[in-house]
Amino acid sequence: MKTRLTILCENSVGHHPSDIIGEHGFSCFLETDNGNYLFDTGQGFSIIQNAMALNIDLRTIDAILISHGHYDHTGGLPAVLKVKGVVDVYAHNDIFARRISSKNGVSRDIGIPYRRHYLESLGARFKLGFQMVETGPGVYLTGEIPRQSSFEKDDPNMTLITSDGQRIHPDPLLDDLSLVVETEKGLIIVLGCAHAGMINIINYVIKQLSNDHIFAIIGGTHLGFATDRQFDETLKVIDKYKIEHIGVSHCTGLEKAALLHAHLGNRFFFGSVGAVLEG
Ligand SMILES: [Fe+2]
Ligand SMILES: [Fe+2]
């Protein structure tokens, strides 16, 4: 299957049309021979503007896939639904949980900014689940990722509050899912924030699809928050599977992106707004 991925929302903009904008968030548009999909929606400031500037027609999407409930991935849902109308939205059951981030004594809500019934009134048909789903031919949402590596840890600044008020700390972010696309060149894995850990995600995808030919990984790696050990182990896995392209975005951070570039050379690219990957 021929595919084309375009980064639609991201922290930085590439060298593309002058009217695209950056925001802290992530969204990626996927075109395939069998349909178009939207993975995440950014916070909502840039998705419509960038789609217009990049000639992407959001009315063509067959489904929306959500990586996790954080505001910087779900905040653009109303804007997209107002363009598209009724559409299936695939995600994990926990995306509506309340999320708090506490850093340097300041706490803020970082969960999904909208209630489920509001999004449904705009056309969202939620398909929530824990398992891997094939949302279209060769297009998968991973489902919950088993946490197996000892060094890919939950973020100590994050707390989940359940609907009955219970605080779970640190937030296990079990809703962290990734998009996987089967292409002629191999698998492409698109990460939202990789809260589940990149190595856990890669291992689970290989096991579930019985395929270790990974052509590319793009999206938010969360390596900006990783220890040196986690970072080194991640590089080893990238080399072990001879992954041809790594296009980092969002929560990777410039420091880790620079280290990845130094290690990977021309296998590396910045997954900023307007970046395109064909598979
Ligand atoms: Fe994020
Ligand atoms: Fe996140």
Side-chain angles (χ1 to χ4, degrees):
M1 181 169 74
K2 273 206 164 46
T3 59
R4 184 182 160 92
L5 282 149
T6 307
I7 306 283
L8 207 44
C9 302
E10 210 272 312
N11 304 32
S12 59
V13 296
H15 29 266
H16 284 279
S18 55
D19 43 359
I20 57 177
I21 52 177
E23 65 172 32
H24 173 80
F26 186 74
S27 174
C28 182
F29 183 69
L30 167 65
E31 292 160 87
T32 79
D33 298 335
N34 304 305
N36 297 342
Y37 301 87
L38 184 69
F39 179 62
D40 285 347
T41 65
Q43 311 192 25
F45 298 119
S46 68
I47 190 156
I48 301 299
Q49 170 78 17
N50 291 347
M52 287 194 295
L54 296 167
N55 255 323
I56 285 171
D57 187 347
L58 293 171
R59 292 172 302 184
T60 66
I61 53 179
D62 293 295
I64 300 173
L65 286 59
I66 295 293
S67 69
H68 64 300
H70 281 157
Y71 74 103
D72 50 330
H73 299 254
T74 57
L77 272 168
V80 175
L81 292 167
K82 283 172 192 168
V83 171
K84 171 63 189 174
V86 175
V87 66
D88 290 342
V89 182
Y90 291 88
H92 185 281
N93 303 57
D94 289 354
I95 60 159
F96 291 103
R98 189 169 168 217
R99 259 71 196 246
I100 308 285
S101 165
S102 307
K103 252 181 223 163
N104 307 324
V106 181
S107 290
R108 61 192 185 109
D109 274 271
I110 57 165
I112 187 167
Y114 303 99
R115 298 272 171 92
R116 179 172 179 164
H117 55 77
Y118 172 61
L119 298 171
E120 285 172 340
S121 77
L122 298 174
R125 287 193 305 218
F126 285 100
K127 309 263 181 200
L128 304 181
F130 302 100
Q131 310 285 341
M132 179 177 265
V133 287
E134 189 172 9
T135 60
V139 176
Y140 303 87
L141 193 61
T142 57
E144 211 171 290
I145 304 290
R147 310 298 163 102
Q148 274 165 341
S149 67
S150 57
F151 44 83
E152 294 182 305
K153 296 236 186 307
D154 294 329
D155 190 324
N157 299 312
M158 293 183 185
T159 304
L160 179 145
I161 301 178
T162 62
S163 50
D164 53 3
Q166 211 191 322
R167 297 173 78 89
I168 300 177
H169 182 83
D171 183 347
L173 272 149
L174 296 176
D175 50 325
D176 181 68
L177 316 181
S178 298
L179 165 66
V180 188
V181 193
E182 279 169 347
T183 79
E184 288 170 4
K185 298 176 182 169
L187 299 177
I188 299 178
I189 302 177
V190 187
L191 308 167
C193 264
H195 290 291
M198 237 175 110
I199 299 174
N200 285 332
I201 295 166
I202 291 169
N203 287 339
Y204 188 64
V205 167
I206 290 172
K207 187 169 149 248
Q208 287 294 107
L209 297 179
S210 308
N211 181 359
D212 66 358
H213 181 203
I214 302 171
F215 170 62
I217 297 188
I218 64 172
T221 65
H222 221 64
L223 289 173
F225 303 88
T227 59
D228 290 348
R229 161 109 200 266
Q230 182 183 345
F231 186 74
D232 292 345
E233 296 289 340
T234 306
L235 284 183
K236 280 187 207 157
V237 170
I238 291 169
D239 287 338
K240 178 179 167 192
Y241 293 110
K242 302 186 174 61
I243 302 171
E244 289 171 55
H245 298 285
I246 303 286
V248 300
S249 299
H250 188 45
C251 45
T252 305
L254 293 176
E255 195 187 335
K256 290 289 171 30
L259 291 170
L260 283 166
H261 191 191
H263 181 85
L264 297 166
N266 60 13
R267 293 154 69 198
F268 173 93
F269 66 99
F270 280 104
S272 35
V273 181
V276 169
L277 179 73
E278 290 186 336

